């Protein structure tokens, strides 16, 4: 038997399967060839967590870990939308204030007009859809560069936000459902049910994919690699759930605080949804095709303009989701909602996670991992009482390193023929 492959028979068809050793060797070959994916971001995230765990006393506490998800949620959602835009080599500079504008629409309807959440939240989402369509139309049909269109929208959306909050009025939000989205937690029971469901679903998808490929005579990942993935996810999920289901309230007798934050399954829902759309649908393949080579995609019959409009629609939709989540966390909206460094951190999250600024390369997992990196940096620096100036400089350096890795990996991929 070969040390690099094995042969098995499925349905009367002989299928050649790589071994664990050959799979690892092939993966390492792809990494050396410039196909890094999220590996640098994952390694960086692990390194940052170790550094802050060693240098602070509270970084690994259940209270702080839960806060990481709550703090980083807005950036992760906006970064998810930016992944779609960046895949086409475009940019959306308005995403930050788009999130603030959508959040303000929701807050005004909830507080000033007494509308229920099931009206106000969809209205905020529709705001994102409409603004995304306008931006996409101007870019795709009118031919204005996305940098100019979204820079104008950056100013315009900031103006709309100011009008909604009447120049500077803070609008408080007290709707219980809205506040629960980024303030409340699942019960301990539901937290463990969620963990078990995640593990079982992931295992089912991995096994189903492998059996499907084998049944069609295609090469599938070795069972050892599949088992390692399932075991790795199970360990992370179980350890995380065990940590988050601990009591973390300062005075539990008054208000118990334990369980997985509700925002975590919301992030998981959008991650699964967009990952499926990008990886398993014709629409997703068209996005990668247009991002990789627009002219070739047009000649292949792909509706390029429609794809370009759609990515801005999705980008603004996710910005609206980020705005809703941020208003939920702050329990209010003001002229700074979505402003300051929100956009920069969201773009940094997507790029640090592994999405290319040149288009054609990126996944939703990049936004999640990159968003966690940004959240860990901000959280850890705050615990160390590092000044904002130093924090901004460190984040900028990390972003520059990520962009450099992207450029060098593309050059390496072109040199080795792994484009």
């Amino acid at each position: 038997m070969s040390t690099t492959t094995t042969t098995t028979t499925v349905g009367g068809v002989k299928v050649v399967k790589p071994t664990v050793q050959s799979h690892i060797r092939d993966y390492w070959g792809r990494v050396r060839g410039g196909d890094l994916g999220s590996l640098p971001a994952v390694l960086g995230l692990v390194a940052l967590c170790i550094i802050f765990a060693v240098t602070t006393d509270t970084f690994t506490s259940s209270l702080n870990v839960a806060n990481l998800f709550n703090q980083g949620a807005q950036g992760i959602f906006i970064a998810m939308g930016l992944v779609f835009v960046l895949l086409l080599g475009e940019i959306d500079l308005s995403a930050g204030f788009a999130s603030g504008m959508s959040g303000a629409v929701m807050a005004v309807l909830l507080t000033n007009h007494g509308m229920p959440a099931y009206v106000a939240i969809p209205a905020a989402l529709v705001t994102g859809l409409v603004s995304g369509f306008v931006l996409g139309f101007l870019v795709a049909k009118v031919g204005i560069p996305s940098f100019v269109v979204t820079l104008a929208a950056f100013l315009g959306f900031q103006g709309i936000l100011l009008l909604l909050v009447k120049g500077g009025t803070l609008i408080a939000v007290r709707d219980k459902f809205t506040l629960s989205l980024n303030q409340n937690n699942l019960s301990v029971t539901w937290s463990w049910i969620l963990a078990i469901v995640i593990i079982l679903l992931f295992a089912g998808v991995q096994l189903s994919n492998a059996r499907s490929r084998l049944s069609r005579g295609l090469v599938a990942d070795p069972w050892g690699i599949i088992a390692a993935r399932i075991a790795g996810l199970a360990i992370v999920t179980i350890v995380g759930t065990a940590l988050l289901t601990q009591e973390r309230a300062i005075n539990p007798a008054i208000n118990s605080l334990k369980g997985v934050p509700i925002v975590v399954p919301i992030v998981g829902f959008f991650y699964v949804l967009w990952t499926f759309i990008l990886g398993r649908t014709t629409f997703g393949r068209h996005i990668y095709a247009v991002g990789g080579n627009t002219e070739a995609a047009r000649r292949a019959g792909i509706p390029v303009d429609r794809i370009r409009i759609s990515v801005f629609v999705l980008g603004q939709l996710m910005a609206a989701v980020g705005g809703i989540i941020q208003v939920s966390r702050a329990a209010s909206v003001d002229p700074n909602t979505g402003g300051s460094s929100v956009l920069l951190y969201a773009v940094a999250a997507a790029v640090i996670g592994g999405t290319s600024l040149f288009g054609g390369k990126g996944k939703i997992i990049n936004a999640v991992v990159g968003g966690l990196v940004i959240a860990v940096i901000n959280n850890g620096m705050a615990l160390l009482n590092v000044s904002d100036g130093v924090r901004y400089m460190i984040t900028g350096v990390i972003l520059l390193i990520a962009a450099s890795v992207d450029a060098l990996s593309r050059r390496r991929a072109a040199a080795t023929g792994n484009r």
Side-chain angles (χ1 to χ4, degrees):
M1 181 182 294
S2 169
T3 59
T4 59
T5 60
T6 60
T7 302
T8 185
T9 301
V10 179
V13 179
K14 286 188 176 181
V15 179
V16 177
K17 285 196 62 184
T19 62
V20 172
Q21 293 84 353
S22 67
H23 180 88
I24 294 174
R25 185 168 56 253
D26 290 344
Y27 173 75
W28 179 242
R30 293 195 300 273
V31 170
R32 293 182 61 187
D35 185 10
L36 299 178
S38 295
L39 180 62
V42 171
L43 295 178
L45 179 61
V46 172
L48 287 169
C49 289
I50 293 174
I51 291 171
F52 290 132
V54 172
T55 55
T56 67
D57 297 328
T58 58
F59 180 78
T60 56
S61 67
S62 58
L63 178 61
N64 191 61
V65 172
N67 283 337
L68 275 174
F69 291 106
N70 296 127
Q71 293 169 357
Q74 181 189 22
I76 290 175
F77 285 123
I78 297 177
M80 284 183 181
L82 289 173
V83 167
F84 287 96
V85 178
L86 293 173
L87 278 172
L88 264 59
E90 305 285 359
I91 189 65
D92 185 354
L93 300 177
S94 68
F97 276 116
S99 71
M101 177 181 66
S102 297
V105 168
M106 179 187 70
V108 167
L109 291 176
L110 286 172
T111 303
N112 294 355
H113 298 283
M115 295 289 184
Y118 61 78
V119 172
I121 291 177
L125 297 177
V126 170
T127 300
L129 292 173
V130 172
S131 63
F133 178 81
V134 173
L135 297 183
F137 183 86
L138 292 173
V139 172
K141 296 297 186 180
V142 181
I144 307 175
S146 60
F147 179 88
V148 177
V149 171
T150 58
L151 179 59
F154 172 91
L155 298 172
F157 293 163
Q158 185 176 13
I160 294 174
L161 173 60
L162 287 171
L163 291 175
L164 288 170
V165 299
K166 301 187 184 304
T169 304
L170 183 146
I171 301 176
V173 174
R174 291 183 168 78
D175 179 75
K176 291 183 179 180
F177 176 80
T178 302
L179 297 179
S180 70
L181 297 176
N182 201 17
Q183 290 190 15
N184 292 4
N185 308 289
L186 299 174
S187 67
V188 172
T189 300
W190 278 108
S191 296
W192 282 110
I193 290 175
L194 176 66
I196 294 171
V197 169
I198 289 173
I199 295 170
L200 292 179
L201 283 178
F202 181 77
V205 169
Q206 290 289 310
L207 295 174
S208 176
N209 287 344
R211 291 186 179 277
S212 176
R213 293 185 64 84
L214 288 174
S215 66
R216 290 179 288 166
L218 301 175
V219 176
D221 292 336
W223 294 115
I225 294 295
I226 294 173
R229 288 175 185 158
I230 296 172
L233 177 79
I235 292 172
V236 172
T237 303
I238 291 173
V239 170
T241 304
L243 182 64
L244 292 173
T245 49
Q246 294 179 10
E247 182 61 66
R248 50 184 185 268
I250 298 176
N251 192 343
I254 298 177
N255 182 28
S256 179
L257 186 63
K258 52 186 175 181
V260 173
I262 290 176
V263 76
V264 172
I266 298 176
V267 171
F269 168 78
F270 282 106
Y271 166 72
V272 172
L273 173 65
W274 300 134
T275 298
F276 175 81
I277 287 176
L278 275 179
R280 297 298 186 90
T281 66
T282 301
F283 173 69
R285 290 191 290 271
H286 286 177
I287 290 178
Y288 284 111
V290 174
N293 191 320
T294 303
E295 187 56 34
R298 182 177 284 109
R299 293 183 179 183
I302 295 174
V304 173
D305 287 351
R306 193 182 305 168
I307 295 297
R308 295 178 77 187
I309 292 173
S310 66
V311 298
F312 281 97
V313 170
L314 292 177
Q316 292 280 302
L317 172 64
M318 292 310 298
V321 174
I324 293 168
I325 293 299
Q326 180 57 25
V327 171
S328 170
R329 174 172 171 76
S332 64
V333 64
D334 60 57
N336 294 318
T337 303
S340 185
S341 56
V342 171
L343 170 67
L344 299 180
Y345 280 154
V347 174
V351 175
I352 289 172
T355 302
S356 175
L357 288 168
F358 302 98
K361 189 181 77 172
K363 296 180 179 180
I364 300 301
I365 188 64
N366 301 150
V368 178
V369 175
L372 289 176
V373 169
I374 296 295
V376 166
I377 292 173
N378 288 334
N379 182 273
M381 293 292 178
L383 292 177
L384 291 173
N385 293 319
V386 175
S387 68
D388 288 343
V390 174
R391 177 163 52 87
Y392 286 138
M393 287 190 293
I394 291 176
T395 306
V397 169
I398 292 176
L399 175 59
L400 183 61
I401 291 173
S404 301
V405 168
D406 176 36
L408 293 174
S409 65
R410 276 186 168 268
R411 186 180 303 174
R412 178 66 176 172
T416 56
N418 288 330
R419 273 182 171 179

